[in-house]
Structure formats: C-alpha cells, structure tokens
Amino acid sequence: MDSGGSGLRIAVARADERDVLPLASYTSQEPIGTGPNGVDAHQLLKQLVPAAQDLMRDSGARRLDAVCVGAAGMATLGAELRAELPGALAEAFGVRRLALAADAVTAYAGALGQAPGAVVAAGTGVIAMGTDLTRTGGWRRADGWGHLLGDCGSGAWIGRAGLEAALRAHDGRQGGSAVLLTRMEAMFGPAAELPGALYPRADRPAVLASFAPEVAACAGHDSVAAAILSEAARHLAEAAAAVCPQAAGSAVAFTGGLLHLGGPLLTPLRAAFGELLPHARQVEAEGDPLGGALRVAAALATDRLLLPTDEKLLRVTR
C-alpha cells in the first residue's frame, strides 16, 4: 500500500516471482487524514481492508504472506498506525509479517530495490534517503521538513520562489521578473489579492507547487526563472550528497513528479550532480513507491529483506 497526499493505492502481487508485478490494484483519490494521534489508522483501515479483500478475490490469492504499508507521515505522525495496524491486519487477513514504512523508504525501494545508494523523492515536497545496507549505517535522511522549514528545491519551493520574484517585479524591487508577474496574475489574479487568497488555505504547499510548471516554462527566456530552477537543482543534489554512501560507484536516483519539469530542471541537476557527487553514478529510478511497497512485502515474505529496519522509518514484525 502507498498512502500520500493524493490518495491511496493498493496492489497485490506474487512474492516468489523475480519481478514483483501487480496482479490487481486499487486506487482511491481520498487521502488519509490526521488526528490528535497522527495519521488516522481507522480511516486507513476502513479503505484498506475491503479493498484488499476485493484484490485477493480478483487476483485469485488465497492468503497474504506479507503486507507493506508505506505512508506519508509514518516517521513523525505514525504512532497510531504502529499501534493499530499489526493487530487489525492479523485479525482481518491472518497476516503476521508486516512492514510499516515511511513513504521515503518505499520510494527508495521502488527506485533502487535493495541496493545501497541514495534516492531523492521530489514532488510538492522533497526528501532524500540513503543507506549502505549495514546495521551500523542504517538510514540517512536529508530534508523532508515541510514547506515552511525546508523541502528545498521542491515544487512548493520553486513555486514560492517564482511568486516572490513576481511580487518583487510588482513592487519595483530588484530581483523581480515581469514575465513571472504576468504568469502569476494570469493564474491567481491581481498581485495585491494573492496573500489573502493563499494564506488561509490548508493546501498551501500544493498551491505553491502549482506555480512551479509556470516557472519552468519561463526559464528558457527569463533569467530570473532560470536561476530559480538552477538553485532548485543544486538543493536536490545537495540533499543527495548528504545521504549518499561514500563508496565509489554508489547509485543515486531522483524520482517524483517534479522531474516532469524537464530540461529547465534536469540540465542544471546533472551539472550539480557531477560537481557534488563525483564518486557516485546517477541511475534511472526502476519504479515508484507502490512498486517499492510490493518489493518490501515480497522480500519480507521470502526472508530476503536487506533494507535496514528502524522503529519509525521501517518497522518490521514477523
């Protein structure tokens, strides 16, 4: 299972096949909310249990040998999930092998499998995870601190920087971009009304990130927009460098929706990568977080789990 801000995805696969491919899958656009105890375990189970039962029927599966739940907020807001899910899933499916993973861990497993290296998951926010697969090394994390304290180089970061440049042009301050001001007003309306429209919203990171494609679209003919994308790329490379193992040839993958911005981001990212990670090699991500959750579950079911366990990032029960 992969749970994030855009909803819930569940899949079932055969654990004993070399390529862990979904036999059946389910998608819900309803994200799991949070309450006083963090991520709402009861809301998650309300969707997960019947959906998994349907998937078992559709795929012909007679039992579940292992389950991996990858969820945004597992590390910092997952107390209720860790308390409720093992017993509930054991009761519903008889499953004893359970992995509760942060979404950054399932993104890692989807991108690199169980190989040492580093993965930067970049979308509305950004987080980097790295491991050398040793018990002493464990997991190394960089950023993922949210749009107010970090997520540097993310969609929300790029969008906010673009809007700031637009407002600088509106004010007549240095560092502004008239091109981005035109784009901003076409998308959000008059500049003076933007703070009142933005600040009260609970989905501010997503709103900020929605302007990132506009910044990328302007980068080819606006130096301010190009500089924002270049700085964002350096932030992403810095996050990768902070968590990447020092061994020569360590694999590093960048994944997430932010990569769809294309050349304006990827070109400076390649340059920053070469400068900051000369010992590493950049590779294409093999799969997404849902595929990573399936890989973790399959490895757990067949006693082949190599990824480091961690109380908050990857908690395993057998």
Side-chain angles (χ1 to χ4, degrees):
M1 189 198 82
D2 173 48
S3 173
S6 59
L8 185 72
R9 297 187 300 157
I10 307 170
V12 62
R14 297 189 184 281
D16 56 357
E17 293 185 350
R18 182 172 182 178
D19 295 321
V20 187
L21 301 176
L23 299 173
S25 60
Y26 162 90
T27 300
S28 167
Q29 301 300 321
E30 179 186 352
I32 305 302
T34 58
N37 297 319
V39 181
D40 191 333
H42 299 287
Q43 182 190 3
L44 186 148
L45 287 165
K46 187 176 179 180
Q47 287 197 55
L48 172 59
V49 171
Q53 290 170 337
D54 289 343
L55 292 179
M56 291 179 68
R57 183 190 65 244
D58 294 344
S59 65
R62 294 190 300 272
R63 68 181 187 277
L64 297 180
D65 293 319
V67 172
C68 175
V69 176
M74 181 71 77
T76 54
L77 299 170
E80 188 172 289
L81 296 180
R82 290 187 286 272
E84 299 290 339
L85 262 58
L89 293 177
E91 180 178 352
F93 301 105
V95 65
R96 300 295 177 185
R97 299 188 179 202
L98 172 64
L100 300 179
D103 58 341
V105 170
T106 51
Y108 184 103
L112 295 183
Q114 298 200 88
V119 171
V120 179
T124 298
V126 65
I127 187 170
M129 298 291 292
T131 180
D132 60 5
L133 296 184
T134 66
R135 288 182 177 273
T136 55
W139 290 103
R140 297 188 65 184
R141 164 189 167 162
D143 215 333
W145 304 121
H147 73 291
L148 292 178
L149 299 175
D151 285 353
C152 298
S154 68
W157 185 95
I158 292 170
R160 190 211 59 77
L163 293 172
E164 180 189 346
L167 292 172
R168 283 181 172 274
H170 173 266
D171 295 345
R173 291 179 287 152
Q174 291 185 349
S177 167
V179 173
L180 290 175
L181 175 60
T182 299
R183 293 273 186 154
M184 182 191 77
E185 292 189 324
M187 188 168 180
F188 295 109
E193 298 178 8
L194 180 61
L198 176 63
Y199 289 146
R201 295 186 61 153
D203 59 344
R204 285 189 302 275
V207 176
L208 293 171
S210 71
F211 195 63
E214 301 295 323
V215 180
C218 294
H221 57 276
D222 181 73
S223 61
V224 173
I228 290 171
L229 269 294
S230 181
E231 187 177 356
R234 188 168 186 87
H235 282 310
L236 298 179
E238 288 173 345
V243 302
C244 183
Q246 292 303 307
S250 292
V252 179
F254 295 87
T255 185
L258 193 67
L259 303 187
H260 296 155
L261 295 183
L265 177 68
L266 299 182
T267 298
L269 180 57
R270 284 191 289 270
F273 185 92
E275 177 188 347
L276 297 175
L277 292 112
H279 70 287
R281 56 190 177 90
Q282 187 174 345
V283 301
E284 292 293 326
E286 297 173 3
D288 65 6
L290 180 61
L294 287 174
R295 283 178 162 182
V296 170
L300 182 60
T302 55
D303 293 318
R304 294 182 290 107
L305 186 62
L306 302 177
L307 296 176
T309 57
D310 181 276
E311 179 63 21
K312 294 186 175 181
L313 294 173
L314 181 58
R315 179 175 174 180
V316 172
T317 57
R318 292 179 170 88

